[in-house]
Amino acid sequence: MLYRVIEASEIPALISAFMESHEVVAPVKKGDVYAFDVISSPDEVVLDYDTTIASPKKYFLPPAETLMTFDAQGNQLTDYTAEITPRVIFGAHACDINALNRLDVVYKDAPYADPYYIARRQATLIVGISCMPTETCFCHLWSSDEARFGYDLFLQDIGGKYLVSISSNDAANILESACNPREATDAERIEFRHATRRRQAAFNPEIPKIQEVAMLMDAFHDDPFWDELGGKCLSCTACSSVCPTCFCFDIRDVRDPDGTTGRRERVWDACTAPQFALVAGGHNFRSDPATRVRHRMYHKLNGFLATHDRMLCVGCGRCVKACKANINPIEVLKFFERKGAADAE
Amino acid sequence: MPNSCAVSTVRVRPFQESPERRSGAELMAANPYRPWPARITSITDLTEHEKLFEFRLVDDRIREAFHHAPGQFVELSIFGVGEAPISISSSPTKHGFIELCIRRAGKFTEALHKMQCGDIVGIRGPFGRGFPIDDMRGHDVLLVAGGLGIAPLRSLINNVHDERSDFGKVTIVYGSRTPSDVMFRNQFEMWKHRKDFELHLTVDYPDSTWDGEVGVVTKPFEHLEVDPGNTFGAVCGPPVMYRFVIEEMSKKGIAYDHIYCSFERHMKCGMGKCGHCQIGHQYVCIDGPVFNYWEAKNIQGSM
């Protein structure tokens, strides 16, 4: 891939250049935490943020999205225009880019390509930024600590400068017009190597490194551990709201106040919600929280891998912070570690 | 706060038809969430709770492009009420019409049961993987339905009927709770005297009029003769029934991967996305709804 070096002082100019043609979404400070939001000035952007409450998922799969509008009287569609805003997600971490690549697998590259998702994905440029792990990050376990594709630019911090990987023509043109990209020196290449090694060494050593997670998810599928872990679930679905790879939805019809016209929309839904596996007639295939939590973890750490050859977890650690009941993949890894301990029963 | 770029917002009209005439398949693929208008052409009362609806897609391009396999399903729409996955009850040999057997069980089916011939609904599909009808050709088939399971299985039964000479021995076992729950009774009565169908209708609770068999759906297996190496089994019914029927089929010596069953889940999108129909690592809507028993055993939480 093509790469160049720019100075950190050139970043505001780069953001301003994107703002001329796009809506720019970037990490901004909200109280004590960070969140992705639309910016009106490059000054608002915080590039050395630790993590954001939620991922930029909502810009591709909005929490509620109109699919079509209808006239219920004649049971027919009415003309509907979806508005897609050309956007730049500026400052996405590698985990979030890898998460987006997983959404692509389901919404863009699978049979039944999703026209709404694709329109948003195609109208969005992604500028990634390197990061250092927080104590809840475990992206390295699933090889999600590096973004290999799925972005337009990726900025690797090498101390006052950025090594920029350039993967799209559109982004290259904007970079060229706003900054003075130059060839990297040997010292800069070496600094990149150091930066990567510093990141790799900085992960929380208390998070167990376990290789055969998918197989273990099958082997311990009926272990009482799942009742213990899932029994605590409050069914609040915060885990899937903050998860960058959770993509399940519900489809519902909403009538306008006049009662005859309305819209069909899809809204975020979660497999940890009590009614998720309910079928007509009232049978619920996962009626208790324990089986729902186990199903969610199974899909994340085994099921998606079985069909798409990669985990549906990128180790961003957001659910670790969001879950009030301390249910998260790290707890699952710790359980497997206990099972593998020398004195395990 | 939106910045200056808002003026350049792209407008996407998901249902705008391009000026050139497109094929039905292209139209359906352009937006797979789009239901296509279909008219109710016939309604038959089957039992107190179930009706058989026949639909005809209005657009001739869509109608031509609509080809299903037995065991597949459609998403049926009533705008303002919602959408529901319904398995197709008619045989692919009856091209041009789609029959759906629908039990009144909730808000959506309640609304449908109030509709009349000539009314318009929306249909998209067909979705899913059906029964391997082409693999079944040249072999004996043992088709077992319980209760509303007759709805998806009837598509296969009628397909086998319409192409009868392509199949070996055909055995149909259909179990219901009471005689008044038996659906398509006229059709089965007509086949009773045919020598090329071995038909076992059984009810749990007979009344004075019942001249069929009595007992649960596995009862007829006591005297069924099966050529295990040459037989495909197919099972549709309530979840509790599968284990018992599959056990009986296994006892007869039919291999796990020759026993097919259709799974019921709430497939909201039908396209492997919304997640509602997931079992283990599989989506019932695209990987199923028909799985063979070997596949089903390999799905966590399927049985």
Side-chain angles (χ1 to χ4, degrees):
Chain A
M1 189 177 297
L2 200 62
Y3 64 94
R4 290 287 184 273
V5 171
I6 62 167
E7 300 298 319
S9 58
E10 293 179 285
I11 293 292
L14 181 60
I15 296 172
S16 296
F18 278 122
M19 287 175 71
E20 281 173 26
S21 52
H22 293 73
E23 179 178 277
V24 175
V25 167
V28 297
K29 199 160 170 58
K30 303 233 169 175
D32 295 335
V33 293
Y34 300 97
F36 279 100
D37 207 348
V38 179
I39 58 153
S40 51
S41 151
D43 304 340
E44 297 167 46
V45 180
V46 186
L47 282 183
D48 60 349
Y49 70 105
D50 51 6
T51 180
T52 53
I53 305 166
S55 80
K57 172 176 78 174
K58 63 183 172 189
Y59 296 104
F60 303 92
L61 294 172
E65 173 177 27
T66 299
L67 298 176
M68 59 197 81
T69 53
F70 57 77
D71 170 14
Q73 211 101 57
N75 213 354
Q76 60 194 4
L77 290 169
T78 51
D79 192 29
Y80 167 65
T81 306
E83 298 198 342
I84 311 287
T85 306
R87 248 186 217 118
V88 178
I89 309 288
F90 197 99
H93 285 169
C95 57
D96 286 340
I97 295 170
N98 281 303
L100 206 48
N101 291 341
R102 282 154 175 75
L103 298 183
D104 282 353
V105 167
V106 176
Y107 282 86
K108 186 164 76 66
D109 303 327
Y112 304 109
D114 191 287
Y116 307 91
Y117 176 87
I118 290 174
R120 289 200 166 78
R121 186 73 161 112
Q122 284 174 346
T124 308
L125 299 177
I126 309 285
V127 180
I129 181 103
S130 62
C131 51
M132 288 296 278
T134 69
E135 61 173 11
T136 54
C137 288
F138 51 102
C139 52
H140 63 311
L141 296 183
W142 316 142
S143 317
S144 299
D145 52 335
E146 250 182 90
R148 299 184 185 87
F149 59 94
Y151 57 82
D152 297 87
L153 297 177
F154 195 92
L155 310 175
Q156 174 70 50
D157 186 350
I158 50 170
K161 289 173 279 198
Y162 289 98
L163 187 72
V164 188
S165 307
I166 308 163
S167 85
S168 85
N169 203 353
D170 286 350
N173 289 339
I174 293 172
L175 180 73
E176 192 104 76
S177 69
C179 310
N180 291 307
R182 56 177 172 78
E183 295 276 352
T185 63
D186 278 346
E188 285 160 348
R189 277 187 269 268
I190 288 165
E191 182 45 36
F192 166 65
R193 190 71 195 98
H194 286 315
T196 308
R197 287 179 59 184
R198 273 198 300 276
R199 184 184 74 236
Q200 285 163 348
F203 283 96
N204 180 355
E206 282 168 29
I207 300 172
K209 279 190 179 178
I210 291 171
Q211 285 289 309
E212 68 281 31
V213 174
M215 182 63 199
L216 291 170
M217 290 299 293
D218 272 322
F220 289 99
H221 194 259
D222 296 320
D223 196 278
F225 163 74
W226 296 108
D227 292 326
E228 194 189 306
L229 184 77
K232 300 184 291 181
C233 177
L234 306 167
S235 304
C236 71
T237 71
C239 50
S240 72
S241 297
V242 300
C243 180
T245 62
C246 268
F247 54 75
C248 291
F249 60 81
D250 193 11
I251 300 177
R252 65 182 184 196
D253 286 3
V254 183
R255 285 188 196 237
D256 297 331
D258 68 9
T260 57
T261 58
R263 63 185 189 277
R264 176 163 292 174
E265 60 180 25
R266 68 168 161 205
V267 292
W268 285 0
D269 204 350
C271 62
T272 45
Q275 78 296 342
F276 192 79
L278 191 70
V279 297
H283 183 71
N284 191 335
F285 283 93
R286 285 187 291 274
S287 58
D288 60 292
T291 52
R292 293 194 290 269
V293 165
R294 182 178 64 180
H295 174 75
R296 181 167 187 274
M297 291 295 174
Y298 187 80
H299 191 232
K300 293 281 171 200
L301 305 180
N302 174 313
F304 195 80
L305 182 88
T307 34
H308 300 299
D309 201 24
R310 66 201 87 174
M311 292 285 192
L312 193 63
C313 172
V314 290
C316 72
R318 288 186 178 101
C319 58
V320 182
K321 292 191 175 73
C323 181
K324 300 292 174 227
N326 197 33
I327 301 169
N328 58 64
I330 297 177
E331 291 305 306
V332 177
L333 294 173
K334 285 181 177 167
F335 159 66
F336 291 147
E337 187 174 56
R338 289 198 296 278
K339 285 289 174 186
D343 58 350
E345 285 171 15
Chain B
M1 191 182 81
N3 57 34
S4 60
C5 73
V7 289
S8 62
T9 292
V10 184
R11 287 169 182 274
V12 177
R13 297 178 69 190
F15 306 114
Q16 193 178 33
E17 301 214 4
S18 56
E20 75 273 23
R21 195 173 160 84
R22 298 163 84 181
S23 74
E26 284 167 345
L27 285 168
M28 288 197 276
N31 189 332
Y33 292 92
R34 176 184 190 164
W36 293 92
R39 206 175 279 286
I40 302 176
T41 46
S42 156
I43 303 172
T44 314
D45 285 326
L46 294 172
T47 72
E48 201 188 329
H49 307 290
E50 284 107 2
K51 287 182 181 181
L52 182 72
F53 291 83
E54 183 193 68
F55 302 92
R56 185 168 167 81
L57 287 157
V58 173
D59 189 312
D60 55 352
R61 293 168 294 176
I62 303 298
R63 194 166 63 237
E64 281 307 308
F66 189 100
H67 291 281
H68 76 278
Q72 282 192 299
F73 65 95
V74 292
E75 295 284 350
L76 188 63
S77 267
I78 304 172
F79 284 125
V81 182
E83 208 173 26
I86 313 275
S87 52
I88 302 172
S89 277
S90 50
S91 164
T93 50
K94 189 182 174 179
H95 193 244
F97 292 91
I98 302 162
E99 286 175 352
L100 307 176
C101 168
I102 294 162
R103 171 177 291 175
R104 201 170 65 228
K107 194 175 64 140
F108 180 86
T109 48
E110 194 78 52
L112 189 71
H113 270 241
K114 287 186 185 138
M115 296 181 92
Q116 298 177 350
C117 285
D119 286 351
I120 297 273
V121 298
I123 285 181
R124 59 188 179 93
F127 294 110
R129 185 182 65 159
F131 291 101
I133 182 90
D134 289 326
D135 294 344
M136 289 175 166
R137 290 181 208 277
H139 298 275
D140 294 355
V141 287
L142 170 56
L143 312 174
V144 182
L148 194 54
I150 194 68
L153 202 66
R154 180 174 174 265
S155 178
L156 180 60
I157 292 172
N158 286 5
N159 194 154
V160 168
H161 170 272
D162 291 352
E163 296 171 333
R164 181 65 190 85
S165 60
D166 282 3
F167 299 88
K169 187 173 140 191
V170 177
T171 309
I172 298 167
V173 181
Y174 173 27
S176 307
R177 235 169 62 85
T178 71
S180 61
D181 295 321
V182 180
M183 286 180 264
F184 310 108
R185 201 164 165 181
N186 292 346
Q187 172 178 344
F188 293 123
E189 291 289 335
M190 268 169 18
W191 292 2
K192 235 168 145 179
H193 305 290
R194 288 181 60 161
K195 292 200 167 51
D196 56 350
F197 285 96
E198 185 180 336
L199 197 60
H200 298 275
L201 296 192
T202 174
V203 297
D204 299 348
Y205 306 102
D207 59 15
S208 54
T209 65
W210 184 248
D211 60 351
E213 295 170 52
V214 176
V216 293
V217 74
T218 47
K219 188 87 190 305
F221 277 81
E222 289 168 11
H223 40 85
L224 276 191
E225 279 180 29
V226 173
D227 174 6
N230 187 36
T231 300
F232 277 89
V235 196
C236 290
V240 289
M241 195 191 93
Y242 284 111
R243 198 156 52 87
F244 297 106
V245 173
I246 288 167
E247 197 179 297
E248 291 299 327
M249 287 190 175
S250 291
K251 271 199 253 171
K252 297 280 179 196
I254 306 175
Y256 282 176
D257 62 357
H258 276 51
I259 302 173
Y260 285 82
C261 32
S262 176
F263 278 63
E264 184 203 5
R265 289 296 186 278
H266 196 152
M267 294 80 98
K268 288 205 171 173
C269 73
M271 306 185 287
K273 295 177 176 41
C274 82
H276 284 264
C277 70
Q278 276 173 7
I279 328 177
H281 67 294
Q282 299 287 66
Y283 279 82
V284 172
C285 68
I286 50 173
D287 301 309
V290 173
F291 294 97
N292 71 42
Y293 185 48
W294 171 251
E295 292 166 335
K297 272 178 88 75
N298 280 287
I299 306 172
Q300 290 283 14
S302 66
M303 289 278 169

